[in-house]
Amino acid sequence: MEEVAANPVVQENIIQWAARFMNEGGIFMWIIAVVWCVGIAIAVERLKAYFKFDVDGTSLMGNIKKNVIGNQVQDAIQSCSESPALLSFVMKNGLKRANQTKEQIQDALEASILEAVPKIEKRLSYLALAANLSTLLGLLGTIQGLIQSFAAVAQAEASQKAQLLAEGIAVAMNTTALGLVSAISLMVVHSVLMARGEKMIQEIEENSVKLLDLLATKKGSSSMDKAA
């Protein structure tokens, strides 16, 4: 009985599949990939910055309140100076005006907030732009693939029509897929970063009001004690 030797099936690894996927998609695949990489780089930089800028506001405010009540404002300022967090930066500038009027303290806090907020929102618009570009470039690649397919059907010889049509469809589908994957991933990251940034801004504004009230109350109490 004769044994029929089966031809071995050659399977692609992930790198080979990705290379073929990119090559079949044409030039727009590489443009989308560049935009995607730029978006990822921005996202990574923003995540690292947010880890640096963020701090436990409740714990920081509790420490500041304890020092202010204990007439140890300089200790509170020193504690804020040791942290790179933006909330600490704003609190420090407010504490430096502790002996001045409420209006002067408020001005210092507002000026610090205006300086801190752009650091939180920095480059987020570019991340949203990268997501939109990925979608549009994917659409542009799709149009290119469809034009290539229609040209194959209209002009190519019968023996080449099937191959050219398949190549055009590959360009259209691959660019659409990569553009959507890039756009969706960048949009998700952008939304997460926006939410975290808004949380930090809200925490800064909330604790600034608390600090202003604390310093004004402490100063009012000190004035009453001196008058008594």
Side-chain angles (χ1 to χ4, degrees), residues 195-214:
R196 184 161 184 175
E198 289 174 1
K199 175 180 174 294
M200 282 194 289
I201 294 173
Q202 183 179 359
E203 195 171 47
I204 289 172
E205 293 175 345
E206 179 183 340
N207 285 288
S208 295
V209 174
K210 290 181 179 179
L211 178 63
L212 179 62
D213 181 65
L214 174 64

Side-chain angles (χ1 to χ4, degrees), residues 12-37:
E12 295 179 325
N13 58 39
I14 186 66
I15 296 177
Q16 292 172 332
W17 175 85
R20 181 174 58 81
F21 180 75
M22 295 294 293
N23 288 329
E24 288 179 352
I27 186 63
F28 283 105
M29 296 290 285
W30 300 101
I31 300 175
I32 294 171
V34 170
V35 172
W36 194 10
C37 290

Side-chain angles (χ1 to χ4, degrees), residues 39-51:
I40 291 173
I42 293 173
V44 170
E45 186 275 333
R46 288 288 81 199
L47 282 172
K48 292 172 68 175
Y50 282 5
F51 278 117

Side-chain angles (χ1 to χ4, degrees), residues 22 27-43 126-138 178-179 181-183 185-186:
M22 295 294 293
I27 186 63
F28 283 105
M29 296 290 285
W30 300 101
I31 300 175
I32 294 171
V34 170
V35 172
W36 194 10
C37 290
V38 170
I40 291 173
I42 293 173
Y126 294 126
L127 191 58
L129 176 62
N132 291 329
L133 275 178
S134 296
T135 304
L136 295 176
L137 288 169
L178 186 62
V181 169
S182 173
S185 61
L186 293 179

Side-chain angles (χ1 to χ4, degrees), residues 209-224:
V209 174
K210 290 181 179 179
L211 178 63
L212 179 62
D213 181 65
L214 174 64
L215 294 177
T217 303
K218 184 69 172 61
K219 190 172 182 181
S221 300
S222 300
S223 299
M224 290 179 64

Side-chain angles (χ1 to χ4, degrees), residues 46-218:
R46 288 288 81 199
L47 282 172
K48 292 172 68 175
Y50 282 5
F51 278 117
K52 176 183 175 183
F53 293 155
D54 203 3
V55 69
D56 184 358
T58 303
S59 176
L60 177 64
M61 194 61 200
N63 184 50
I64 291 173
K65 185 176 181 179
K66 180 181 69 175
N67 287 324
V68 170
I69 293 175
N71 293 319
Q72 297 175 329
V73 176
Q74 288 302 320
D75 290 345
I77 294 174
Q78 180 62 31
S79 176
C80 291
S81 299
E82 294 172 354
S83 172
L86 293 178
L87 177 58
S88 300
F89 166 76
V90 174
M91 296 293 101
K92 179 185 70 176
N93 289 338
L95 288 166
K96 286 181 177 179
R97 300 281 185 95
N99 295 325
Q100 299 180 12
T101 65
K102 182 177 180 180
E103 289 74 19
Q104 289 174 317
I105 297 171
Q106 185 174 4
D107 289 343
L109 289 170
E110 289 178 352
S112 300
I113 292 172
L114 289 175
E115 188 176 344
V117 169
K119 294 181 180 179
I120 295 174
E121 297 176 344
K122 187 177 181 181
R123 296 193 185 94
L124 287 182
S125 59
Y126 294 126
L127 191 58
L129 176 62
N132 291 329
L133 275 178
S134 296
T135 304
L136 295 176
L137 288 169
L139 178 59
L140 194 56
T142 303
I143 299 301
Q144 182 196 27
L146 292 176
I147 292 173
Q148 185 175 329
S149 299
F150 290 141
V153 172
Q155 300 175 5
E157 297 179 0
S159 59
Q160 298 178 338
K161 280 185 179 181
Q163 180 182 353
L164 294 175
L165 185 61
E167 290 176 356
I169 293 174
V171 170
M173 296 297 100
N174 289 10
T175 51
T176 301
L178 186 62
L180 289 175
V181 169
S182 173
I184 291 170
S185 61
L186 293 179
M187 287 174 65
V188 169
V189 174
H190 178 261
S191 297
V192 171
L193 290 174
M194 284 288 292
R196 184 161 184 175
E198 289 174 1
K199 175 180 174 294
M200 282 194 289
I201 294 173
Q202 183 179 359
E203 195 171 47
I204 289 172
E205 293 175 345
E206 179 183 340
N207 285 288
S208 295
V209 174
K210 290 181 179 179
L211 178 63
L212 179 62
D213 181 65
L214 174 64
L215 294 177
T217 303
K218 184 69 172 61

